[in-house]
């Protein structure tokens, strides 16, 4: 997942997995689904008044956070074929997705952690202001 958090239904996850399997048919691989639809979604009708309970069960869903890996593939496959399969699956899912290979730099939120960058660098403000610039922004004290 590359943009913001989403709720993905179990049917959408199954659609994505089925699309990958269809594209890679005949190859030797193992597909892992790394998230599970474990949240029940309940709905009531459109013109129903407030109260009267929770509503009836509609479908199963899961919350997918930013930089969460949804599908993982293991096997001796050409990278372009796998990229194409994951692109087709991403078209079936809500949101924006990114293809990640093993060995790429890790991601914190939307930022890739490159060589030499630490967690403290990520938490630090982007630019340190001199004290006089910070003090000039404060309102003048009332007499």
């Amino acid at each position: 997942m590359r943009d913001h958090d989403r709720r993905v239904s179990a049917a959408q996850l199954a659609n994505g997995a089925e699309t990958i399997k269809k594209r890679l048919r005949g190859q030797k691989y193992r597909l892992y689904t790394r998230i599970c639809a474990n949240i029940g979604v309940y709905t009531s009708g459109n013109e129903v008044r407030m109260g009267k309970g929770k509503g009836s069960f509609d479908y199963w869903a899961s919350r997918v956070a930013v930089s969460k890996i949804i599908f993982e593939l293991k096997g001796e496959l050409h990278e372009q074929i796998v990229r194409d399969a994951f692109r087709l699956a991403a078209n079936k899912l809500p949101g924006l997705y990114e293809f990640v290979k093993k060995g790429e730099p890790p991601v914190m939120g939307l930022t890739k952690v490159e060589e030499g960058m630490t967690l403290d660098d990520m938490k630090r403000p982007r630019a340190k202001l001199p004290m006089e610039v910070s003090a000039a922004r404060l309102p003048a004290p009332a007499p």
Side-chain angles (χ1 to χ4, degrees), residues 24-59:
L24 300 177
R25 184 170 287 150
Q27 314 264 350
K28 288 193 85 171
Y29 68 94
R30 172 88 170 130
L31 180 69
Y32 299 96
T33 304
R34 297 272 301 266
I35 61 172
C36 168
N38 57 0
I39 299 169
V41 177
Y42 296 82
T43 57
S44 53
N46 283 342
E47 297 181 5
V48 176
R49 292 185 180 186
M50 297 294 285
K52 305 289 189 258
K54 190 173 185 177
S56 58
F57 175 80
D58 199 13
Y59 59 93

Side-chain angles (χ1 to χ4, degrees), residues 7 15 28 40 71 81 106 142:
R7 181 163 39 176
N15 256 351
K28 288 193 85 171
F71 296 113
I81 295 172

Side-chain angles (χ1 to χ4, degrees), residues 48-90:
V48 176
R49 292 185 180 186
M50 297 294 285
K52 305 289 189 258
K54 190 173 185 177
S56 58
F57 175 80
D58 199 13
Y59 59 93
W60 290 101
S62 65
R63 290 192 183 96
V64 181
V66 173
S67 72
K68 177 73 175 167
I69 294 176
I70 298 176
F71 296 113
E72 186 175 342
L73 197 93
K74 183 171 107 175
E76 296 293 324
L77 299 167
H78 195 275
E79 184 182 334
Q80 284 304 110
I81 295 172
V82 175
R83 278 185 184 273
D84 186 47
F86 278 101
R87 179 189 57 80
L88 292 171

